[in-house]
């Protein structure tokens, strides 16, 4: 009898211990959710512009689009921005527009009619503040009056707008022959007070130690009729005793070696070209 009682107590003890062990068992906590990784936005390339640069952009759009409409303005403005961000042209809007033999004669001095100011301002603000581009212009940095034909096989036409035919220069393999512009989403335009940092004549400074070959006449430059004349380096003013402890002779200011210099390519005279068929406005 005692053996049975003892066995019963032992059995009850085993069951109690098992139940206690089961009650103390903790369920594993769910694995912590992975922390959300913050996506790093790529840094944009920032270009400064002034009130004068905005005026230069409006002037190019107005005179090169034959005073047409906002679509024509935006197309020309896109070419200006493509050149600005390509790295092969001057680093400011006014520098691009005022580059010799590239845009319409008198683009910096002629009068803009007051009735065009509203549409011009809208197009300029869309480009500078919103990053707008004409979608059909793509990477084009060249255009000429629509209806002209040239005997060159590297003129890849993309669209017609504002009375102009826009084209990219591509080789036989379809590759761009000019440095490609930055896409709009990689560009930030920063407004700064003051005038443009470029000299009033927008002179091209060529290091004398680096020979620069001049291209043969070619039609593929905007509103060009002759080759660009390369000016001599600007001579700095003489420092007098009134402005420095020791008088110094005049020195020449030259850009650093390796600075990208755009050599504009002239457009032939109108009497040397033939009329061509119209290019579809939605060309590829």
């Amino acid at each position: 009898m005692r053996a049975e009682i003892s066995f019963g107590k032992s059995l009850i003890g085993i069951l109690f211990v098992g139940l206690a062990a089961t009650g103390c068992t903790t369920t594993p906590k769910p694995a912590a959710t992975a922390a959300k990784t913050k996506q790093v936005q790529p840094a944009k390339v920032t270009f400064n512009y002034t009130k004068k640069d905005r005026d230069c952009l409006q002037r190019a759009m107005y005179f090169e689009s034959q005073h047409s409409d906002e679509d024509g303005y935006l197309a020309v403005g896109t070419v200006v921005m493509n050149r600005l961000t390509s790295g092969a042209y001057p680093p400011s809007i006014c520098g691009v527009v005022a580059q010799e033999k590239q845009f319409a004669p008198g683009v910096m001095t002629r009068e803009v009619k007051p009735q065009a100011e509203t549409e011009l301002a809208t197009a300029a603000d869309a480009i500078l503040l919103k990053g707008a581009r004409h979608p059909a212009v793509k990477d084009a940095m060249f255009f000429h009056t629509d209806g002209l034909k040239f005997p060159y096989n590297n003129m890849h036409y993309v669209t017609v707008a504002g009375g102009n035919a826009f084209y990219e220069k591509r080789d036989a393999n379809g590759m761009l022959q000019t440095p490609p512009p930055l896409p709009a989403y990689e560009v930030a335009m920063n407004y700064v007070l003051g005038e443009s940092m470029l000299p009033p004549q927008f002179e091209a400074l060529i290091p004398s130690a680096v020979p620069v070959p001049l291209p043969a006449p070619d039609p593929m430059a905007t509103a060009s009729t002759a080759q660009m004349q390369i000016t001599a380096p600007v001579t700095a003013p003489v420092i007098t005793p009134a402005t420095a402890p020791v008088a110094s002779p005049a020195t020449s200011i030259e850009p650093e070696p390796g600075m990208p210099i755009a050599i504009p390519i002239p457009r032939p005279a109108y009497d040397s070209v033939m009329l061509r068929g119209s290019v579809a406005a939605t060309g590829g």
Side-chain angles (χ1 to χ4, degrees):
M1 185 67 179
R2 288 182 178 179
E4 291 177 358
I5 293 173
S6 178
F7 176 78
K9 289 182 178 180
S10 299
L11 181 60
I12 292 172
I14 294 172
L15 292 174
F16 179 80
V17 172
L19 291 173
T22 304
C24 293
T25 303
T26 57
T27 57
K29 294 182 179 180
T33 57
K36 294 182 179 179
T37 57
K38 185 177 180 181
Q39 293 183 351
V40 179
Q41 297 293 334
K44 294 187 176 182
V45 179
T46 301
F47 293 84
N48 292 333
Y49 73 97
T50 65
K51 181 179 179 181
K52 179 65 175 177
D53 289 312
R54 184 174 180 272
D55 178 68
C56 289
L57 178 62
Q58 292 185 176
R59 286 179 162 276
M61 294 189 296
Y62 180 71
F63 291 112
E64 288 289 11
S65 65
Q66 303 178 16
H67 321 167
S68 59
D69 53 22
E70 193 169 342
D71 185 66
Y73 296 156
L74 188 60
V76 173
T78 299
V79 168
V80 174
M81 299 304 293
N82 283 351
R83 289 191 172 202
L84 174 68
T85 63
S86 73
Y89 293 88
S92 74
I93 294 175
C94 279
V96 170
V97 174
Q99 194 171 16
E100 191 174 0
K101 306 299 183 182
Q102 292 297 289
F103 287 87
V107 66
M108 299 295 291
T109 57
R110 294 164 60 190
E111 179 187 3
V112 176
K113 300 298 181 182
Q115 55 266 33
E117 290 290 347
T118 300
E119 284 189 339
L120 282 172
T122 300
D125 288 342
I127 290 173
L128 297 174
L129 303 181
K130 302 177 182 178
R133 300 289 189 273
H134 194 294
V137 172
K138 301 180 181 179
D139 292 337
M141 282 182 269
F142 309 94
F143 61 88
H144 60 70
T145 304
D146 185 33
L148 302 180
K149 183 178 180 181
F150 300 93
Y152 300 96
N153 57 9
N154 63 343
M155 300 169 71
H156 179 73
Y157 290 94
V158 293
T159 192
V160 170
N164 292 310
F166 295 80
Y167 62 95
E168 302 165 344
K169 290 170 60 178
R170 294 183 176 272
D171 59 22
N173 296 322
M175 302 297 294
L176 285 173
Q177 294 179 314
T178 52
L182 294 175
Y185 60 80
E186 291 185 6
V187 175
M189 299 303 298
N190 178 50
Y191 177 75
V192 294
L193 297 174
E195 296 297 325
S196 174
M197 298 299 291
L198 290 176
Q201 296 81 13
F202 301 100
E203 294 174 321
L205 302 181
I206 309 296
S208 57
V210 181
V212 178
L214 295 178
D218 190 293
M220 293 171 294
T222 304
S224 293
T225 55
Q227 289 188 355
M228 177 180 179
Q229 296 179 353
I230 306 301
T231 61
V234 177
T235 301
V238 177
I239 301 175
T240 63
T243 58
V246 180
S248 302
T251 57
S252 295
I253 302 176
E254 296 183 357
E256 298 179 359
M259 178 180 294
I261 301 169
I263 303 299
I265 305 173
R267 173 198 257 180
Y270 274 54
D271 56 4
S272 65
V273 299
M274 302 176 293
L275 290 177
R276 66 173 179 82
S278 177
V279 178
T282 58

